[in-house]
Amino acid sequence: MSKPRTRQSSAAPKALILGGVTGLLGQSLTNALAGRGWQVETLSRTDGCLTDIAFLTQRLARSAADVVFNAVAWTRVDDAEDHPEQARLLNCTLPDALARILKSIGQGHLVHFSTDFVFSGQGRTPWREEDTPKPASVYGRTKLAGERAVLQILPDRSCVLRTAWLFGPGRKNFVETILNKSRIMDAVQVVFDQTGSPTYTLDLARWSAALAEKRAVGIWHAVNSGRANWAELAAEVVALAGSRCQVIPIPSGQWPQKATRPAWSVLDVTKLSNALGQPPRPWPQALREYVYSNF
Ligand SMILES: NC(=O)c1ccc[n+]([C@@H]2O[C@H](COP(=O)([O-])OP(=O)(O)OC[C@H]3O[C@@H](n4cnc5c(N)ncnc54)[C@H](OP(=O)(O)O)[C@@H]3O)[C@@H](O)[C@H]2O)c1
């Protein structure tokens, strides 16, 4: 477990971030919370086996964090189809254990992250928090099981933030991949028949901190405003990069992937907007900030 990034007064809230050193979201969370004056500790696989309950119990008790943020997950959606048990271990057994341990300790709030892939994708209006999930992949099913476990075990001291289509610094992501391809290729093929909510990890980290400071409970949809399909997102990236690379929209049938993706997974942000006092900024604005400040 790493030392706190910042030395704060004893009144500063204390965060323990699982995945806070290497995760795409975890790194943004670590920086955002430290920047808001939190004492930040991280917990990663280099500290020990996170699915070893005895180890986890000892580390959570020793940390005595006010809020535990779980940004660890099995995120390789296609690989999950071939390794359902490993995916379940990280996406369900781990958050289940975190909730049980915090319950037995009797203190600490849990902020857990989930996904738009809990929805079927058979819709045409943005999914609200209370809509019925119907995942179509191992990843989606294991993430849904994880969020249900957390909320059932620790209903008064946990929240689940469903997010989607993340881009941000520190780890490979779709936007970075398109940027790199646009530098060396004349054209890229990108699917157009999956529509979702592109989301900047720095924004998500700020909303997560704000909700944690309110000790929010229940399910929250936490994505940037607006929607896009993958080809539209890629076209925006290429335009921002000033590249002449052409984005060629293709149907997903021409880009076979092992796991089924939702065709429509746009998330409704009304609840988050009310809590923040304003809607999350539109994804193109966030994308511009990410591209201009990192590439
Ligand atoms: N990325 C997206 O587009 C997206 C979309 C919707 C929802 N989400 C959700 O958002 C959350 C954060 O996702 P992310 O994209 O930031 O994930 P990520 O970049 O893949 O990071 C996952 C983190 O989990 C850690 N981890 C994986 N397997 C581990 C293991 N066996 N033991 C210990 N640590 C392990 C990784 O550590 P190592 O670096 O050591 O492997 C890494 O720190 C997840 O709950 C995910 O389901 C993400």
mmCIF file of all heavy atoms in Angstrom, residues 18-26 43-45 48-51 70-76 90-91 112-117 139 143 161-167 171-172 201 204 230, ligand 1:
data_model
loop_
_atom_site.group_PDB
_atom_site.id
_atom_site.type_symbol
_atom_site.label_atom_id
_atom_site.label_comp_id
_atom_site.label_asym_id
_atom_site.label_seq_id
_atom_site.Cartn_x
_atom_site.Cartn_y
_atom_site.Cartn_z
ATOM 1 N N LEU A 18 -8.454 1.332 -4.716
ATOM 2 C CA LEU A 18 -8.006 0.084 -5.351
ATOM 3 C C LEU A 18 -7.841 0.341 -6.845
ATOM 4 O O LEU A 18 -8.770 0.836 -7.505
ATOM 5 C CB LEU A 18 -9.025 -1.035 -5.115
ATOM 6 C CG LEU A 18 -8.951 -1.720 -3.748
ATOM 7 C CD1 LEU A 18 -9.561 -0.846 -2.654
ATOM 8 C CD2 LEU A 18 -9.648 -3.080 -3.786
ATOM 9 N N GLY A 19 -6.659 0.069 -7.379
ATOM 10 C CA GLY A 19 -6.383 0.348 -8.786
ATOM 11 C C GLY A 19 -5.909 1.768 -9.019
ATOM 12 O O GLY A 19 -5.839 2.226 -10.162
ATOM 13 N N GLY A 20 -5.551 2.465 -7.928
ATOM 14 C CA GLY A 20 -5.214 3.890 -8.032
ATOM 15 C C GLY A 20 -3.853 4.199 -8.628
ATOM 16 O O GLY A 20 -3.548 5.363 -8.891
ATOM 17 N N VAL A 21 -3.020 3.175 -8.855
ATOM 18 C CA VAL A 21 -1.684 3.437 -9.406
ATOM 19 C C VAL A 21 -1.649 3.244 -10.914
ATOM 20 O O VAL A 21 -1.058 4.045 -11.637
ATOM 21 C CB VAL A 21 -0.628 2.527 -8.733
ATOM 22 C CG1 VAL A 21 0.741 2.717 -9.377
ATOM 23 C CG2 VAL A 21 -0.549 2.820 -7.245
ATOM 24 N N THR A 22 -2.318 2.200 -11.410
ATOM 25 C CA THR A 22 -2.183 1.877 -12.839
ATOM 26 C C THR A 22 -3.482 1.972 -13.639
ATOM 27 O O THR A 22 -3.439 1.990 -14.863
ATOM 28 C CB THR A 22 -1.645 0.437 -13.012
ATOM 29 O OG1 THR A 22 -2.573 -0.458 -12.384
ATOM 30 C CG2 THR A 22 -0.274 0.267 -12.394
ATOM 31 N N GLY A 23 -4.633 2.001 -12.981
ATOM 32 C CA GLY A 23 -5.905 1.976 -13.713
ATOM 33 C C GLY A 23 -6.159 3.271 -14.470
ATOM 34 O O GLY A 23 -5.712 4.338 -14.043
ATOM 35 N N LEU A 24 -6.862 3.165 -15.579
ATOM 36 C CA LEU A 24 -7.207 4.365 -16.362
ATOM 37 C C LEU A 24 -7.986 5.345 -15.491
ATOM 38 O O LEU A 24 -7.621 6.523 -15.369
ATOM 39 C CB LEU A 24 -8.033 3.938 -17.591
ATOM 40 C CG LEU A 24 -8.479 5.031 -18.548
ATOM 41 C CD1 LEU A 24 -7.290 5.780 -19.151
ATOM 42 C CD2 LEU A 24 -9.343 4.443 -19.674
ATOM 43 N N LEU A 25 -9.031 4.875 -14.862
ATOM 44 C CA LEU A 25 -9.788 5.731 -13.946
ATOM 45 C C LEU A 25 -9.040 5.932 -12.634
ATOM 46 O O LEU A 25 -9.013 7.042 -12.089
ATOM 47 C CB LEU A 25 -11.165 5.099 -13.674
ATOM 48 C CG LEU A 25 -11.981 5.772 -12.573
ATOM 49 C CD1 LEU A 25 -12.271 7.233 -12.908
ATOM 50 C CD2 LEU A 25 -13.279 5.003 -12.340
ATOM 51 N N GLY A 26 -8.439 4.862 -12.119
ATOM 52 C CA GLY A 26 -7.796 4.927 -10.808
ATOM 53 C C GLY A 26 -6.767 6.039 -10.712
ATOM 54 O O GLY A 26 -6.695 6.749 -9.703
ATOM 55 N N LEU A 43 -4.125 0.804 -3.273
ATOM 56 C CA LEU A 43 -3.951 -0.627 -3.037
ATOM 57 C C LEU A 43 -3.958 -1.325 -4.391
ATOM 58 O O LEU A 43 -4.933 -1.203 -5.152
ATOM 59 C CB LEU A 43 -5.085 -1.147 -2.141
ATOM 60 C CG LEU A 43 -4.961 -2.578 -1.613
ATOM 61 C CD1 LEU A 43 -3.653 -2.811 -0.885
ATOM 62 C CD2 LEU A 43 -6.148 -2.879 -0.683
ATOM 63 N N SER A 44 -2.852 -2.010 -4.687
ATOM 64 C CA SER A 44 -2.672 -2.615 -6.007
ATOM 65 C C SER A 44 -2.174 -4.040 -5.856
ATOM 66 O O SER A 44 -1.788 -4.462 -4.765
ATOM 67 C CB SER A 44 -1.628 -1.831 -6.816
ATOM 68 O OG SER A 44 -1.981 -0.478 -6.898
ATOM 69 N N ARG A 45 -2.082 -4.729 -6.987
ATOM 70 C CA ARG A 45 -1.640 -6.127 -6.930
ATOM 71 C C ARG A 45 -0.195 -6.252 -6.447
ATOM 72 O O ARG A 45 0.203 -7.294 -5.953
ATOM 73 C CB ARG A 45 -1.835 -6.819 -8.269
ATOM 74 C CG ARG A 45 -1.004 -6.327 -9.387
ATOM 75 C CD ARG A 45 -1.072 -7.303 -10.548
ATOM 76 N NE ARG A 45 -1.963 -6.885 -11.613
ATOM 77 C CZ ARG A 45 -2.766 -7.711 -12.273
ATOM 78 N NH1 ARG A 45 -2.801 -8.978 -11.966
ATOM 79 N NH2 ARG A 45 -3.524 -7.278 -13.256
ATOM 80 N N GLY A 48 -0.163 -7.063 -2.761
ATOM 81 C CA GLY A 48 -0.621 -8.384 -2.328
ATOM 82 C C GLY A 48 -1.804 -8.803 -3.181
ATOM 83 O O GLY A 48 -2.249 -8.056 -4.052
ATOM 84 N N CYS A 49 -2.332 -9.984 -2.894
ATOM 85 C CA CYS A 49 -3.442 -10.497 -3.698
ATOM 86 C C CYS A 49 -4.762 -9.883 -3.212
ATOM 87 O O CYS A 49 -5.203 -10.149 -2.092
ATOM 88 C CB CYS A 49 -3.490 -12.018 -3.604
ATOM 89 S SG CYS A 49 -4.875 -12.683 -4.526
ATOM 90 N N LEU A 50 -5.383 -9.098 -4.089
ATOM 91 C CA LEU A 50 -6.589 -8.364 -3.672
ATOM 92 C C LEU A 50 -7.796 -9.268 -3.475
ATOM 93 O O LEU A 50 -8.782 -8.856 -2.872
ATOM 94 C CB LEU A 50 -6.931 -7.270 -4.698
ATOM 95 C CG LEU A 50 -5.868 -6.195 -4.947
ATOM 96 C CD1 LEU A 50 -6.446 -5.032 -5.742
ATOM 97 C CD2 LEU A 50 -5.267 -5.686 -3.649
ATOM 98 N N THR A 51 -7.718 -10.488 -4.001
ATOM 99 C CA THR A 51 -8.853 -11.392 -3.801
ATOM 100 C C THR A 51 -8.614 -12.363 -2.650
ATOM 101 O O THR A 51 -9.404 -13.280 -2.438
ATOM 102 C CB THR A 51 -9.171 -12.161 -5.106
ATOM 103 O OG1 THR A 51 -7.974 -12.781 -5.579
ATOM 104 C CG2 THR A 51 -9.704 -11.221 -6.171
ATOM 105 N N ASN A 70 -13.320 1.554 -5.374
ATOM 106 C CA ASN A 70 -12.887 0.339 -6.071
ATOM 107 C C ASN A 70 -12.847 0.560 -7.584
ATOM 108 O O ASN A 70 -13.861 0.464 -8.272
ATOM 109 C CB ASN A 70 -13.812 -0.837 -5.767
ATOM 110 C CG ASN A 70 -13.360 -2.086 -6.508
ATOM 111 O OD1 ASN A 70 -12.170 -2.247 -6.797
ATOM 112 N ND2 ASN A 70 -14.294 -2.956 -6.826
ATOM 113 N N ALA A 71 -11.639 0.857 -8.087
ATOM 114 C CA ALA A 71 -11.455 1.041 -9.540
ATOM 115 C C ALA A 71 -10.750 -0.155 -10.156
ATOM 116 O O ALA A 71 -10.212 -0.068 -11.264
ATOM 117 C CB ALA A 71 -10.686 2.328 -9.817
ATOM 118 N N VAL A 72 -10.727 -1.279 -9.430
ATOM 119 C CA VAL A 72 -10.184 -2.529 -9.982
ATOM 120 C C VAL A 72 -11.304 -3.306 -10.647
ATOM 121 O O VAL A 72 -12.414 -3.381 -10.128
ATOM 122 C CB VAL A 72 -9.532 -3.378 -8.861
ATOM 123 C CG1 VAL A 72 -9.372 -4.823 -9.293
ATOM 124 C CG2 VAL A 72 -8.176 -2.800 -8.478
ATOM 125 N N ALA A 73 -11.016 -3.846 -11.815
ATOM 126 C CA ALA A 73 -12.016 -4.678 -12.504
ATOM 127 C C ALA A 73 -11.319 -5.516 -13.564
ATOM 128 O O ALA A 73 -10.195 -5.212 -13.971
ATOM 129 C CB ALA A 73 -13.074 -3.793 -13.167
ATOM 130 N N TRP A 74 -12.003 -6.564 -13.979
ATOM 131 C CA TRP A 74 -11.612 -7.277 -15.209
ATOM 132 C C TRP A 74 -12.293 -6.510 -16.338
ATOM 133 O O TRP A 74 -13.496 -6.594 -16.521
ATOM 134 C CB TRP A 74 -12.085 -8.736 -15.181
ATOM 135 C CG TRP A 74 -11.681 -9.507 -16.402
ATOM 136 C CD1 TRP A 74 -12.189 -9.325 -17.672
ATOM 137 C CD2 TRP A 74 -10.710 -10.541 -16.512
ATOM 138 N NE1 TRP A 74 -11.577 -10.180 -18.552
ATOM 139 C CE2 TRP A 74 -10.662 -10.959 -17.869
ATOM 140 C CE3 TRP A 74 -9.865 -11.166 -15.595
ATOM 141 C CZ2 TRP A 74 -9.816 -11.961 -18.326
ATOM 142 C CZ3 TRP A 74 -9.025 -12.172 -16.051
ATOM 143 C CH2 TRP A 74 -9.007 -12.557 -17.406
ATOM 144 N N THR A 75 -11.522 -5.714 -17.093
ATOM 145 C CA THR A 75 -12.118 -4.831 -18.103
ATOM 146 C C THR A 75 -11.919 -5.346 -19.531
ATOM 147 O O THR A 75 -12.365 -4.693 -20.473
ATOM 148 C CB THR A 75 -11.520 -3.409 -18.001
ATOM 149 O OG1 THR A 75 -10.103 -3.501 -18.070
ATOM 150 C CG2 THR A 75 -11.926 -2.729 -16.712
ATOM 151 N N ARG A 76 -11.249 -6.500 -19.669
ATOM 152 C CA ARG A 76 -11.040 -7.034 -21.025
ATOM 153 C C ARG A 76 -12.297 -7.806 -21.430
ATOM 154 O O ARG A 76 -12.467 -8.981 -21.115
ATOM 155 C CB ARG A 76 -9.772 -7.895 -21.058
ATOM 156 C CG ARG A 76 -8.517 -7.019 -20.976
ATOM 157 C CD ARG A 76 -7.239 -7.815 -20.914
ATOM 158 N NE ARG A 76 -7.044 -8.392 -19.601
ATOM 159 C CZ ARG A 76 -6.802 -9.683 -19.366
ATOM 160 N NH1 ARG A 76 -6.716 -10.536 -20.355
ATOM 161 N NH2 ARG A 76 -6.637 -10.118 -18.138
ATOM 162 N N LEU A 90 -12.942 -10.864 -10.017
ATOM 163 C CA LEU A 90 -12.622 -9.434 -9.866
ATOM 164 C C LEU A 90 -13.865 -8.549 -9.877
ATOM 165 O O LEU A 90 -13.937 -7.563 -9.149
ATOM 166 C CB LEU A 90 -11.702 -8.988 -11.002
ATOM 167 C CG LEU A 90 -10.218 -9.292 -10.861
ATOM 168 C CD1 LEU A 90 -9.445 -8.589 -11.945
ATOM 169 C CD2 LEU A 90 -9.676 -8.886 -9.502
ATOM 170 N N ASN A 91 -14.834 -8.877 -10.721
ATOM 171 C CA ASN A 91 -15.980 -7.977 -10.923
ATOM 172 C C ASN A 91 -17.110 -8.207 -9.940
ATOM 173 O O ASN A 91 -17.974 -7.331 -9.768
ATOM 174 C CB ASN A 91 -16.519 -8.120 -12.350
ATOM 175 C CG ASN A 91 -15.525 -7.631 -13.376
ATOM 176 O OD1 ASN A 91 -14.565 -6.947 -13.029
ATOM 177 N ND2 ASN A 91 -15.733 -7.968 -14.644
ATOM 178 N N HIS A 112 -18.113 2.233 -5.735
ATOM 179 C CA HIS A 112 -17.798 1.142 -6.660
ATOM 180 C C HIS A 112 -18.203 1.556 -8.076
ATOM 181 O O HIS A 112 -19.221 2.235 -8.254
ATOM 182 C CB HIS A 112 -18.551 -0.118 -6.227
ATOM 183 C CG HIS A 112 -18.383 -1.271 -7.165
ATOM 184 N ND1 HIS A 112 -17.173 -1.900 -7.361
ATOM 185 C CD2 HIS A 112 -19.270 -1.907 -7.981
ATOM 186 C CE1 HIS A 112 -17.322 -2.875 -8.245
ATOM 187 N NE2 HIS A 112 -18.579 -2.895 -8.642
ATOM 188 N N PHE A 113 -17.422 1.135 -9.064
ATOM 189 C CA PHE A 113 -17.693 1.547 -10.443
ATOM 190 C C PHE A 113 -18.267 0.398 -11.258
ATOM 191 O O PHE A 113 -17.825 -0.753 -11.138
ATOM 192 C CB PHE A 113 -16.412 2.095 -11.090
ATOM 193 C CG PHE A 113 -15.956 3.359 -10.426
ATOM 194 C CD1 PHE A 113 -15.057 3.323 -9.371
ATOM 195 C CD2 PHE A 113 -16.489 4.584 -10.803
ATOM 196 C CE1 PHE A 113 -14.675 4.478 -8.710
ATOM 197 C CE2 PHE A 113 -16.120 5.755 -10.154
ATOM 198 C CZ PHE A 113 -15.202 5.703 -9.102
ATOM 199 N N SER A 114 -19.263 0.742 -12.081
ATOM 200 C CA SER A 114 -19.860 -0.267 -12.952
ATOM 201 C C SER A 114 -19.987 0.304 -14.368
ATOM 202 O O SER A 114 -19.326 1.284 -14.696
ATOM 203 C CB SER A 114 -21.199 -0.743 -12.379
ATOM 204 O OG SER A 114 -21.652 -1.872 -13.096
ATOM 205 N N THR A 115 -20.829 -0.283 -15.169
ATOM 206 C CA THR A 115 -20.725 -0.077 -16.610
ATOM 207 C C THR A 115 -22.075 0.017 -17.315
ATOM 208 O O THR A 115 -23.068 -0.560 -16.848
ATOM 209 C CB THR A 115 -19.917 -1.246 -17.221
ATOM 210 O OG1 THR A 115 -19.981 -1.179 -18.637
ATOM 211 C CG2 THR A 115 -20.472 -2.597 -16.793
ATOM 212 N N ASP A 116 -22.057 0.694 -18.460
ATOM 213 C CA ASP A 116 -23.236 0.732 -19.348
ATOM 214 C C ASP A 116 -23.540 -0.656 -19.919
ATOM 215 O O ASP A 116 -24.647 -0.907 -20.390
ATOM 216 C CB ASP A 116 -22.998 1.732 -20.489
ATOM 217 C CG ASP A 116 -21.710 1.467 -21.261
ATOM 218 O OD1 ASP A 116 -20.758 0.887 -20.690
ATOM 219 O OD2 ASP A 116 -21.641 1.837 -22.453
ATOM 220 N N PHE A 117 -22.551 -1.567 -19.873
ATOM 221 C CA PHE A 117 -22.755 -2.913 -20.434
ATOM 222 C C PHE A 117 -23.700 -3.763 -19.593
ATOM 223 O O PHE A 117 -23.943 -4.915 -19.933
ATOM 224 C CB PHE A 117 -21.407 -3.630 -20.605
ATOM 225 C CG PHE A 117 -20.658 -3.227 -21.848
ATOM 226 C CD1 PHE A 117 -20.731 -1.946 -22.354
ATOM 227 C CD2 PHE A 117 -19.856 -4.136 -22.527
ATOM 228 C CE1 PHE A 117 -20.031 -1.558 -23.496
ATOM 229 C CE2 PHE A 117 -19.154 -3.772 -23.679
ATOM 230 C CZ PHE A 117 -19.241 -2.479 -24.160
ATOM 231 N N TYR A 139 -18.800 -10.021 -19.183
ATOM 232 C CA TYR A 139 -18.371 -8.792 -18.503
ATOM 233 C C TYR A 139 -19.580 -8.086 -17.881
ATOM 234 O O TYR A 139 -19.577 -7.747 -16.694
ATOM 235 C CB TYR A 139 -17.651 -7.881 -19.502
ATOM 236 C CG TYR A 139 -17.341 -6.496 -18.989
ATOM 237 C CD1 TYR A 139 -16.346 -6.282 -18.033
ATOM 238 C CD2 TYR A 139 -18.041 -5.382 -19.465
ATOM 239 C CE1 TYR A 139 -16.055 -5.008 -17.572
ATOM 240 C CE2 TYR A 139 -17.758 -4.105 -19.013
ATOM 241 C CZ TYR A 139 -16.770 -3.917 -18.066
ATOM 242 O OH TYR A 139 -16.486 -2.646 -17.608
ATOM 243 N N LYS A 143 -20.304 -7.666 -13.871
ATOM 244 C CA LYS A 143 -20.361 -6.310 -13.307
ATOM 245 C C LYS A 143 -21.708 -6.077 -12.630
ATOM 246 O O LYS A 143 -21.776 -5.449 -11.567
ATOM 247 C CB LYS A 143 -20.121 -5.251 -14.397
ATOM 248 C CG LYS A 143 -18.713 -5.206 -14.964
ATOM 249 C CD LYS A 143 -17.649 -4.816 -13.955
ATOM 250 C CE LYS A 143 -17.772 -3.376 -13.483
ATOM 251 N NZ LYS A 143 -16.661 -3.025 -12.549
ATOM 252 N N LEU A 161 -21.294 3.768 -9.290
ATOM 253 C CA LEU A 161 -21.261 4.754 -10.371
ATOM 254 C C LEU A 161 -21.086 4.007 -11.695
ATOM 255 O O LEU A 161 -20.013 3.432 -11.946
ATOM 256 C CB LEU A 161 -20.103 5.740 -10.158
ATOM 257 C CG LEU A 161 -20.371 6.952 -9.261
ATOM 258 C CD1 LEU A 161 -20.947 6.563 -7.915
ATOM 259 C CD2 LEU A 161 -19.087 7.750 -9.047
ATOM 260 N N ARG A 162 -22.165 3.993 -12.496
ATOM 261 C CA ARG A 162 -22.055 3.350 -13.813
ATOM 262 C C ARG A 162 -21.485 4.357 -14.797
ATOM 263 O O ARG A 162 -22.032 5.452 -14.970
ATOM 264 C CB ARG A 162 -23.430 2.902 -14.306
ATOM 265 C CG ARG A 162 -24.000 1.728 -13.548
ATOM 266 C CD ARG A 162 -25.268 1.265 -14.252
ATOM 267 N NE ARG A 162 -25.964 0.236 -13.508
ATOM 268 C CZ ARG A 162 -27.278 0.198 -13.315
ATOM 269 N NH1 ARG A 162 -28.051 1.162 -13.807
ATOM 270 N NH2 ARG A 162 -27.834 -0.785 -12.649
ATOM 271 N N THR A 163 -20.393 3.982 -15.438
ATOM 272 C CA THR A 163 -19.778 4.873 -16.408
ATOM 273 C C THR A 163 -19.596 4.153 -17.745
ATOM 274 O O THR A 163 -20.073 3.024 -17.915
ATOM 275 C CB THR A 163 -18.468 5.451 -15.847
ATOM 276 O OG1 THR A 163 -18.045 6.525 -16.678
ATOM 277 C CG2 THR A 163 -17.384 4.385 -15.738
ATOM 278 N N ALA A 164 -18.933 4.810 -18.710
ATOM 279 C CA ALA A 164 -18.886 4.243 -20.065
ATOM 280 C C ALA A 164 -17.787 4.866 -20.896
ATOM 281 O O ALA A 164 -17.373 6.001 -20.651
ATOM 282 C CB ALA A 164 -20.225 4.499 -20.760
ATOM 283 N N TRP A 165 -17.282 4.111 -21.852
ATOM 284 C CA TRP A 165 -16.451 4.616 -22.956
ATOM 285 C C TRP A 165 -15.379 5.603 -22.458
ATOM 286 O O TRP A 165 -15.279 6.742 -22.934
ATOM 287 C CB TRP A 165 -17.346 5.291 -24.004
ATOM 288 C CG TRP A 165 -18.290 4.407 -24.746
ATOM 289 C CD1 TRP A 165 -18.928 3.297 -24.276
ATOM 290 C CD2 TRP A 165 -18.730 4.564 -26.110
ATOM 291 N NE1 TRP A 165 -19.734 2.761 -25.264
ATOM 292 C CE2 TRP A 165 -19.634 3.519 -26.392
ATOM 293 C CE3 TRP A 165 -18.435 5.497 -27.101
ATOM 294 C CZ2 TRP A 165 -20.247 3.380 -27.634
ATOM 295 C CZ3 TRP A 165 -19.063 5.358 -28.343
ATOM 296 C CH2 TRP A 165 -19.947 4.311 -28.595
ATOM 297 N N LEU A 166 -14.557 5.140 -21.517
ATOM 298 C CA LEU A 166 -13.601 6.045 -20.868
ATOM 299 C C LEU A 166 -12.421 6.407 -21.762
ATOM 300 O O LEU A 166 -11.863 5.552 -22.461
ATOM 301 C CB LEU A 166 -13.067 5.401 -19.587
ATOM 302 C CG LEU A 166 -14.071 5.197 -18.450
ATOM 303 C CD1 LEU A 166 -13.380 4.584 -17.233
ATOM 304 C CD2 LEU A 166 -14.750 6.509 -18.079
ATOM 305 N N PHE A 167 -12.014 7.661 -21.685
ATOM 306 C CA PHE A 167 -10.740 8.107 -22.251
ATOM 307 C C PHE A 167 -10.079 9.018 -21.227
ATOM 308 O O PHE A 167 -10.760 9.662 -20.415
ATOM 309 C CB PHE A 167 -10.918 8.830 -23.606
ATOM 310 C CG PHE A 167 -11.774 10.069 -23.546
ATOM 311 C CD1 PHE A 167 -11.243 11.305 -23.215
ATOM 312 C CD2 PHE A 167 -13.131 10.006 -23.825
ATOM 313 C CE1 PHE A 167 -12.027 12.461 -23.165
ATOM 314 C CE2 PHE A 167 -13.934 11.154 -23.781
ATOM 315 C CZ PHE A 167 -13.386 12.372 -23.447
ATOM 316 N N ARG A 171 -3.218 5.402 -19.501
ATOM 317 C CA ARG A 171 -3.388 4.007 -19.917
ATOM 318 C C ARG A 171 -4.066 3.994 -21.289
ATOM 319 O O ARG A 171 -4.890 4.853 -21.589
ATOM 320 C CB ARG A 171 -4.251 3.254 -18.907
ATOM 321 C CG ARG A 171 -4.210 1.733 -19.065
ATOM 322 C CD ARG A 171 -4.727 1.085 -17.795
ATOM 323 N NE ARG A 171 -4.863 -0.344 -17.907
ATOM 324 C CZ ARG A 171 -4.405 -1.211 -17.002
ATOM 325 N NH1 ARG A 171 -3.767 -0.776 -15.950
ATOM 326 N NH2 ARG A 171 -4.597 -2.502 -17.146
ATOM 327 N N LYS A 172 -3.720 2.974 -22.051
ATOM 328 C CA LYS A 172 -4.250 2.864 -23.412
ATOM 329 C C LYS A 172 -5.785 2.923 -23.411
ATOM 330 O O LYS A 172 -6.433 2.316 -22.557
ATOM 331 C CB LYS A 172 -3.782 1.530 -24.000
ATOM 332 C CG LYS A 172 -3.990 1.424 -25.477
ATOM 333 C CD LYS A 172 -3.388 0.123 -25.997
ATOM 334 C CE LYS A 172 -3.929 -0.148 -27.385
ATOM 335 N NZ LYS A 172 -3.977 -1.543 -27.740
ATOM 336 N N THR A 201 -11.954 10.611 -17.957
ATOM 337 C CA THR A 201 -11.673 10.117 -16.597
ATOM 338 C C THR A 201 -11.459 11.261 -15.595
ATOM 339 O O THR A 201 -11.809 11.117 -14.423
ATOM 340 C CB THR A 201 -10.428 9.212 -16.585
ATOM 341 O OG1 THR A 201 -9.328 9.913 -17.188
ATOM 342 C CG2 THR A 201 -10.678 7.913 -17.316
ATOM 343 N N LEU A 204 -14.934 12.258 -14.572
ATOM 344 C CA LEU A 204 -15.515 11.205 -13.729
ATOM 345 C C LEU A 204 -14.888 11.211 -12.341
ATOM 346 O O LEU A 204 -15.586 11.016 -11.329
ATOM 347 C CB LEU A 204 -15.332 9.838 -14.410
ATOM 348 C CG LEU A 204 -15.760 8.612 -13.619
ATOM 349 C CD1 LEU A 204 -17.224 8.681 -13.194
ATOM 350 C CD2 LEU A 204 -15.519 7.336 -14.455
ATOM 351 N N TRP A 230 -19.075 4.973 -32.265
ATOM 352 C CA TRP A 230 -17.606 4.901 -32.259
ATOM 353 C C TRP A 230 -16.999 5.639 -33.445
ATOM 354 O O TRP A 230 -15.945 6.274 -33.323
ATOM 355 C CB TRP A 230 -17.146 3.437 -32.260
ATOM 356 C CG TRP A 230 -17.402 2.711 -30.975
ATOM 357 C CD1 TRP A 230 -18.293 1.702 -30.771
ATOM 358 C CD2 TRP A 230 -16.764 2.931 -29.699
ATOM 359 N NE1 TRP A 230 -18.250 1.283 -29.448
ATOM 360 C CE2 TRP A 230 -17.319 2.011 -28.776
ATOM 361 C CE3 TRP A 230 -15.783 3.814 -29.257
ATOM 362 C CZ2 TRP A 230 -16.930 1.956 -27.435
ATOM 363 C CZ3 TRP A 230 -15.387 3.751 -27.921
ATOM 364 C CH2 TRP A 230 -15.958 2.835 -27.032
HETATM 365 N N1 LIG B 1 -12.661 1.695 -19.557
HETATM 366 C C1 LIG B 1 -13.935 1.886 -19.867
HETATM 367 O O1 LIG B 1 -14.255 2.330 -20.985
HETATM 368 C C2 LIG B 1 -15.024 1.571 -18.875
HETATM 369 C C3 LIG B 1 -16.352 1.639 -19.311
HETATM 370 C C4 LIG B 1 -17.370 1.363 -18.416
HETATM 371 C C5 LIG B 1 -17.084 1.056 -17.106
HETATM 372 N N2 LIG B 1 -15.790 0.980 -16.704
HETATM 373 C C6 LIG B 1 -15.530 0.619 -15.303
HETATM 374 O O2 LIG B 1 -14.729 1.609 -14.712
HETATM 375 C C7 LIG B 1 -13.866 1.023 -13.748
HETATM 376 C C8 LIG B 1 -12.430 1.399 -14.047
HETATM 377 O O3 LIG B 1 -12.107 0.898 -15.333
HETATM 378 P P1 LIG B 1 -10.718 1.233 -16.029
HETATM 379 O O4 LIG B 1 -10.958 1.331 -17.476
HETATM 380 O O5 LIG B 1 -10.044 2.341 -15.292
HETATM 381 O O6 LIG B 1 -9.938 -0.125 -15.767
HETATM 382 P P2 LIG B 1 -8.434 -0.457 -16.172
HETATM 383 O O7 LIG B 1 -7.734 0.704 -16.743
HETATM 384 O O8 LIG B 1 -8.476 -1.730 -16.938
HETATM 385 O O9 LIG B 1 -7.779 -0.719 -14.751
HETATM 386 C C9 LIG B 1 -8.134 -1.830 -14.025
HETATM 387 C C10 LIG B 1 -7.358 -1.816 -12.738
HETATM 388 O O10 LIG B 1 -7.632 -3.074 -12.102
HETATM 389 C C11 LIG B 1 -6.369 -3.663 -11.788
HETATM 390 N N3 LIG B 1 -6.443 -5.102 -11.826
HETATM 391 C C12 LIG B 1 -6.865 -5.870 -12.857
HETATM 392 N N4 LIG B 1 -6.757 -7.164 -12.506
HETATM 393 C C13 LIG B 1 -6.236 -7.189 -11.249
HETATM 394 C C14 LIG B 1 -5.908 -8.217 -10.335
HETATM 395 N N5 LIG B 1 -6.067 -9.516 -10.649
HETATM 396 N N6 LIG B 1 -5.432 -7.882 -9.118
HETATM 397 C C15 LIG B 1 -5.271 -6.588 -8.798
HETATM 398 N N7 LIG B 1 -5.567 -5.564 -9.601
HETATM 399 C C16 LIG B 1 -6.046 -5.878 -10.823
HETATM 400 C C17 LIG B 1 -5.410 -3.159 -12.829
HETATM 401 O O11 LIG B 1 -4.101 -3.335 -12.351
HETATM 402 P P3 LIG B 1 -2.885 -3.698 -13.360
HETATM 403 O O12 LIG B 1 -2.570 -2.433 -14.091
HETATM 404 O O13 LIG B 1 -1.805 -4.146 -12.444
HETATM 405 O O14 LIG B 1 -3.400 -4.761 -14.275
HETATM 406 C C18 LIG B 1 -5.849 -1.707 -12.932
HETATM 407 O O15 LIG B 1 -5.290 -0.946 -11.913
HETATM 408 C C19 LIG B 1 -14.145 -0.479 -13.798
HETATM 409 O O16 LIG B 1 -15.078 -0.807 -12.794
HETATM 410 C C20 LIG B 1 -14.776 -0.684 -15.157
HETATM 411 O O17 LIG B 1 -15.621 -1.808 -15.172
HETATM 412 C C21 LIG B 1 -14.744 1.228 -17.556
#
